[in-house]
Structures are given as C-alpha cells and as structure tokens.
Amino acid sequence: MAKVIASQLRKGNVVEIDEKLYVILRAENFHPGKGTPVTQIDMRRISDGVKVSDRWKTTDSVERAHVEQSEFQFLYADGEGYHFMNPETYEQVAVAEDVVGDSKVWLQDGMLCHLAVHNEVAIALDLPQKVTVEIVETEPVVKGQTASSSYKPAMADNGVRVMVPPHIGVGTRVVVNTEDATYVERAKD
C-alpha cells in the first residue's frame, strides 16, 4: 500500500478506505477563488458494486492499493462470467459481470483489454479507446444530402446505436469511440 494525496487520484486507480477497496470512476479537482481546494471522487466499492461519492481536501492522504495492470485477451462469456487470457502466460481469468458492466457490448473475440487484478481477482476492466463495428441497419442514402454536419442514426452489429454520416450504409465497417459511442471514421480494412 502506498499513500498518495487526493489530487493525484485518477480514473481506474484503486484505493483502500476502512479496509474496503474502491475503484475510482471519476476524479475532479476544484480550486475555488476562496477556500480550500477539494477533490471530488466518484468510486465503486469492489466487494458489492455500490457507487459512492466523496470529497477530500486536495492535500488529504489516501491509501492506494497495489493493483497489477496486465493486458488480457477476451475469449468468451458464459454463466460463470467473462473469460480472459493472458497472452504471455496463457493464464485464464473469469471476470464477474458487475466488473465488466456496460462495457460488455464492446467486447469482441480476441480483443486485447487491460485488467486490474488485486489478490488474483479482477477488479476493473479498461477497454481499447476505439473498436471497429459493422453497421447492420440505417436509413438509405438520400441523394443531395451531403452536409457534413448532418448525421443519421444507425445500428451496429453489437446492438449499439451510433450516429453516422449520410454516406455510411448497411454493411459498412466503422470505427467507434467506446467511451461515448460516437462515430470516429470509416474502417480502413
């Protein structure tokens, strides 16, 4: 365990408070004109998944838990959870559904992800920033509709709704940002 000051906490860090582990979901520092600067933290308790918000002075010290960050390859999902494999050691890890959370729609066979492991238990999953998906449903292209600012709704093969430019049709592979499901570009494959 290492002590750090609250202003150094970032998304994905794991801290220990009252002998319980929490993963940081959001950390924001506020510096008001008058008064003490504070750090607002949104975190999830790892043991039961409860979300908690807390506020500390930026100089308060917090116990940061030792967590191994390793790259794992997604294999498959079943009743036991989501299965990942370390590509170097071939060690497999089953990750609970509450750890994967909303990220499950982006998981693809063979995808490389970063897993945070504490005491041989996966506690946090970090996806690649961008993934490639195929458009399976969208409105047809309207002739003359070339304004670059106009977007149309489309459904990706993983079930996520994405706003795409008018020239994107069914069967087109596109790159999407996993954090907010926004269109990035047409896939180059």
Side-chain angles (χ1 to χ4, degrees), residues 32-48:
K34 278 185 170 178
T36 309
V38 293
T39 300
Q40 175 71 36
I41 304 284
D42 291 338
M43 52 194 168
R44 182 175 45 83
R45 190 167 38 231
I46 292 168
S47 59
D48 55 12

Side-chain angles (χ1 to χ4, degrees), residues 110-147:
M111 174 185 275
L112 291 175
C113 306
H114 284 89
L115 277 177
V117 179
H118 181 267
N119 291 344
E120 298 180 20
V121 176
I123 56 173
L125 171 69
D126 194 18
L127 291 174
Q129 189 175 1
K130 299 173 188 166
V131 296
T132 303
V133 294
E134 186 174 326
I135 300 301
V136 293
E137 181 185 315
T138 187
E139 298 166 8
V141 177
V142 177
K143 201 167 189 154
Q145 184 181 14
T146 56

Side-chain angles (χ1 to χ4, degrees), residues 82-93:
Y82 294 82
H83 297 267
F84 292 84
M85 177 185 69
N86 184 324
E88 293 166 14
T89 64
Y90 302 108
E91 164 197 0
Q92 290 190 21
V93 175

Side-chain angles (χ1 to χ4, degrees), residues 15-26:
V15 294
E16 185 174 329
I17 304 166
D18 300 329
E19 297 181 19
K20 287 189 170 77
L21 292 176
Y22 295 83
V23 64
I24 306 291
L25 303 173
R26 192 175 65 86

